[in-house]
Amino acid sequence: MAASPSGPRRSTVHDVARAAGVSRGTVSRVLNGGYVSEQAREAIHRAISEVGYVPNTAARNLVRQRTQAVGFIVHEPHSLFLEDPNIGGIMLGANTTLSQADYQMVCVVVDTARDTDRVARYLSGGFVDGAVIVSARHQDPISDVVERLRLPVAFVGHPPGISGAWVGIDNRGAAEAVVSRLRETGRRRIGMIAAALDRDSGSDRLAGFRAALGDAFDPALVETVDLYAFADGAAGMTRLLERAPDLDGVFAASDAVAAGAMQALRAAGRRVPEDVGVVGFDDSAWATRTSPQLSTVHQPAEGLGSAAAAAVLAQLDGDQSVRTGILLDAPVVWRDSA
Amino acid sequence: MAASPSGPRRSTVHDVARAAGVSRGTVSRVLNGGYVSEQAREAIHRAISEVGYVPNTAARNLVRQRTQAVGFIVHEPHSLFLEDPNIGGIMLGANTTLSQADYQMVCVVVDTARDTDRVARYLSGGFVDGAVIVSARHQDPISDVVERLRLPVAFVGHPPGISGAWVGIDNRGAAEAVVSRLRETGRRRIGMIAAALDRDSGSDRLAGFRAALGDAFDPALVETVDLYAFADGAAGMTRLLERAPDLDGVFAASDAVAAGAMQALRAAGRRVPEDVGVVGFDDSAWATRTSPQLSTVHQPAEGLGSAAAAAVLAQLDGDQSVRTGILLDAPVVWRDSA
DNA sequence: TTGAAAGCGGTACCAT
DNA sequence: ATGGTACCGCTTTCAA
């Protein structure tokens, strides 16, 4: 049971109080704010560094009835967690904001295949004061739990039917911008490889595509695939090309899909961007690795994580004015593929 | 200050004790093990689910003098954290193992550019019972702190001069295996694009390359680049090709480097694998996205994270028999690029 | 402005 | 086997 590093006992408020010649209460007051004479304050600060005092988190949390932890819930199989170019950035952003506010981020990955309700239990268990929830889906049981618990949360993305705070980008608007520009540059037969229609990001991108085309929209030019993945992009492109050999532009639902599409295009003897213009989505590492480099929509991943964390923090502070929806800017980046 | 979700007060050991008609001590005993009559045990279990009891982590941690948290320290700039194909897997593996043991993983990313000693303080602050440390470097100040604190840790990778437990793969042996096979398949002028020589992984791969070649080793066939990155691979390959136009095989220090090298090779009119055989390292998403698909060394990323976490857990349990070094298997995967 | 004291929710030791 | 009780380190009334 040699759990804690042996060393000398960590010093406590008690030690500080004694060294400064005051009571524990006074020490606590300078730590947390309250009426303290300048003289006492100084003596205490000196004592603190003298005895090397560091507050005990557990004790503080116990009396304050908080855990000082925020969950980062990713509802995604491990493999997708690793593939997704945005999750890492979102996590980093959330972590930065949270730790600056002295909160710990506890990362929980719900491998969809396994039990969702392990997380539900976790959330109910009072292990966290709030949560950032990534890639929730419609009717997600986790969202239900959160609602019942009235736990301060923020979703990244905006699954329909969710009532809590959320932060996202304007997928639909960005898609429209992409397609409009494609048309402006002379593309006339523009197709789309849509993906992940079961989440808002996927369906909104498709909606934007459709809206931008208006009357010119042709359902035959949309190919739908399951995942935002390279292989899906390649397969989708191949099928799309069979149906519409005269196509001269493609909007792919993600960079990975776009990269796959480019591969299929090349295999079919089409040149990018000369014969077919290709645009992706995410501005992930993929975008600058394809040749030609991909035109795409920039996702502010760290910003999303950071904003979601801030929204949770605001609720934790009892801030009533929390906006329930925040849209971050997702500019289109034009490179060489279209 | 409406921090905790309002709702009814959470029930405590006290409530359970009263509902079961026993004392708090007895309740604690069934929770933690000890002599309890079968009768009491049953009554208590019934009472627990009746009142919906969930233990309070803070209180338990306070009395036990532990935090029940383990740090996951990544000493890497944010951008590299996102690029590295292994870190995500390592993290997932560590997280899984840790949470199964009821530990929380607290992720700390040290953006090298900024203060390393913020982490040192964190570690000294008693916020965690132990730590998994990824990508430490030689003479890393963090390693020093850990040593001084005698904090239970495990490193992923094996930076020289580190005395604690570590888990890694046999970079050198894997590199040797790659090069030997390249020779067996008839390659005669084999070059290497070495990277990240400031870490053990990078220098060990180079050492293996050298060892496999023995007398045939030609320093002119080694090109060194800074990072395990695509762009570095492309640039390195270009330079290498200038020096050794007759080269017929390349061992790249990572898949990203290999992908960059393949691009440069193609630009120079060389066919892979006909003219030049290329082998990477990591078996990351890159490997199956290039065409032809990459032959490479498989990194058991989740396994590494999991093993490192287990090593920390073992030390926390006071297990004296912890092996200080664990090597996981990293098999070579032969695909089409060589 | 400050000190004293009462808990926060558990665990563990001590008698019984 | 069980109940009683002291205590973990800190915050927060309440008096003074």
Side-chain angles (χ1 to χ4, degrees), chain A residues 46-327:
Chain A
R46 214 175 306 120
I48 285 180
S49 57
E50 193 175 300
V51 304
Y53 169 74
V54 180
N56 178 311
T57 319
R60 169 176 284 169
N61 291 348
L62 175 57
V63 60
R64 287 208 182 141
Q65 299 287 66
R66 311 170 151 215
T67 65
Q68 211 67 9
V70 168
F72 184 83
I73 319 290
V74 185
H75 190 176
E76 212 72 90
H78 277 197
S79 57
L80 246 73
F81 176 96
L82 295 173
E83 288 277 327
D84 192 307
N86 297 308
I87 290 189
I90 295 173
M91 202 185 80
L92 245 26
N95 193 35
T96 303
T97 298
L98 253 17
S99 48
Q100 269 164 9
D102 269 319
Y103 273 79
Q104 290 187 4
M105 185 183 85
V106 179
C107 179
V108 184
V109 182
V110 192
D111 202 319
T112 318
R114 284 182 245 149
D115 47 3
T116 300
D117 57 28
R118 187 175 55 90
V119 178
R121 266 206 312 282
Y122 184 83
L123 256 20
S124 338
F127 294 104
V128 293
D129 296 333
V132 170
I133 303 182
V134 184
S135 65
R137 290 181 197 63
H138 188 41
Q139 293 269 333
D140 193 323
I142 295 195
S143 322
D144 295 349
V145 176
V146 158
E147 187 116 11
R148 261 213 318 279
L149 254 40
R150 301 163 102 261
L151 194 69
V153 299
F155 293 88
V156 175
H158 186 199
I162 286 304
S163 62
W166 56 269
V167 18
I169 59 166
D170 183 2
N171 283 289
R172 190 188 149 121
E176 281 194 54
V178 164
V179 178
S180 301
R181 161 77 180 243
L182 239 23
R183 299 185 79 185
E184 283 162 28
T185 55
R187 310 287 177 181
R188 285 293 161 262
R189 290 283 286 166
I190 305 174
M192 172 165 186
I193 305 179
L197 292 186
D198 57 332
R199 22 247 277 191
D200 59 307
S201 60
S203 52
D204 286 356
R205 287 170 206 179
L206 176 54
F209 173 80
R210 182 172 194 145
L213 253 19
D215 293 341
F217 175 75
D218 176 359
L221 288 182
V222 174
E223 178 66 36
T224 301
V225 300
D226 279 350
L227 271 25
Y228 291 125
F230 181 91
D232 283 19
M237 188 72 250
T238 304
R239 287 197 299 272
L240 191 52
L241 224 36
E242 279 168 17
R243 275 213 307 279
D246 60 335
L247 150 160
D248 62 359
V250 184
F251 172 43
S254 85
D255 289 348
V257 169
M262 279 174 65
Q263 195 195 48
L265 247 12
R266 191 180 306 126
R270 301 296 210 289
R271 290 166 307 161
V272 175
E274 294 82 352
D275 303 329
V276 182
V278 177
V279 181
F281 209 109
D282 283 344
D283 196 16
S284 65
W286 281 109
T288 51
R289 286 167 184 169
T290 55
S291 63
Q293 297 198 343
L294 221 44
S295 292
T296 186
V297 177
H298 179 76
Q299 284 254 25
E302 293 202 38
L304 287 168
S306 181
V312 174
L313 255 20
Q315 293 174 60
L316 251 15
D317 282 351
D319 188 338
Q320 295 303 317
S321 67
V322 210
R323 281 189 296 154
T324 70
I326 300 178
L327 241 27

Side-chain angles (χ1 to χ4, degrees), chain A residues 1-7 10 54-59 61-62 64-66 69 78-79 81-83 85 87-89 91-93 95-96 99-100 104-109 114 118 122 124-129 149-152 230 256 263 266 285-286 288-291 302 315-318 320, chain B residues 1-7 10 54-59 61-62 64-66 69 78-79 81-83 85 87-89 91-93 95-96 99-100 104-109 114 118 122 124-129 149-152 230 256 263 266 285-286 288-291 302 315-318 320:
Chain A
M1 266 300 311
S4 48
S6 41
R10 273 176 61 187
V54 180
N56 178 311
T57 319
N61 291 348
L62 175 57
R64 287 208 182 141
Q65 299 287 66
R66 311 170 151 215
H78 277 197
S79 57
F81 176 96
L82 295 173
E83 288 277 327
I87 290 189
M91 202 185 80
L92 245 26
N95 193 35
T96 303
S99 48
Q100 269 164 9
Q104 290 187 4
M105 185 183 85
V106 179
C107 179
V108 184
V109 182
R114 284 182 245 149
R118 187 175 55 90
Y122 184 83
S124 338
F127 294 104
V128 293
D129 296 333
L149 254 40
R150 301 163 102 261
L151 194 69
F230 181 91
Q263 195 195 48
R266 191 180 306 126
W286 281 109
T288 51
R289 286 167 184 169
T290 55
S291 63
E302 293 202 38
Q315 293 174 60
L316 251 15
D317 282 351
Q320 295 303 317
Chain B
M1 266 298 311
S4 46
S6 40
R10 274 176 59 186
V54 181
N56 179 311
T57 319
N61 292 347
L62 175 57
R64 288 212 183 134
Q65 300 286 63
R66 305 168 154 221
H78 276 196
S79 56
F81 176 96
L82 295 174
E83 287 278 326
I87 290 188
M91 201 185 80
L92 245 24
N95 193 36
T96 303
S99 47
Q100 268 164 10
Q104 289 187 4
M105 184 182 88
V106 179
C107 179
V108 184
V109 182
R114 285 182 244 150
R118 188 174 53 92
Y122 185 82
S124 341
F127 293 104
V128 293
D129 296 334
L149 253 40
R150 300 160 104 265
L151 193 70
F230 181 90
Q263 195 196 47
R266 189 180 309 125
W286 282 110
T288 51
R289 288 168 184 169
T290 56
S291 64
E302 292 201 40
Q315 294 174 60
L316 250 16
D317 282 351
Q320 295 302 318

Side-chain angles (χ1 to χ4, degrees), chain B residues 27 37 42 45-46 60 87 89 91 97 111 141 158 169 181 184 193 213 243 263 271 320 322 326 333:
Chain B
V27 174
S37 68
E42 267 176 38
H45 276 130
R46 213 174 309 120
R60 168 176 285 168
I87 290 188
M91 201 185 80
T97 299
D111 202 318
H158 185 198
I169 59 166
R181 160 78 181 244
E184 284 162 26
I193 305 179
L213 254 18
R243 275 215 305 281
Q263 195 196 47
R271 290 166 308 162
Q320 295 302 318
V322 207
I326 300 178
V333 184

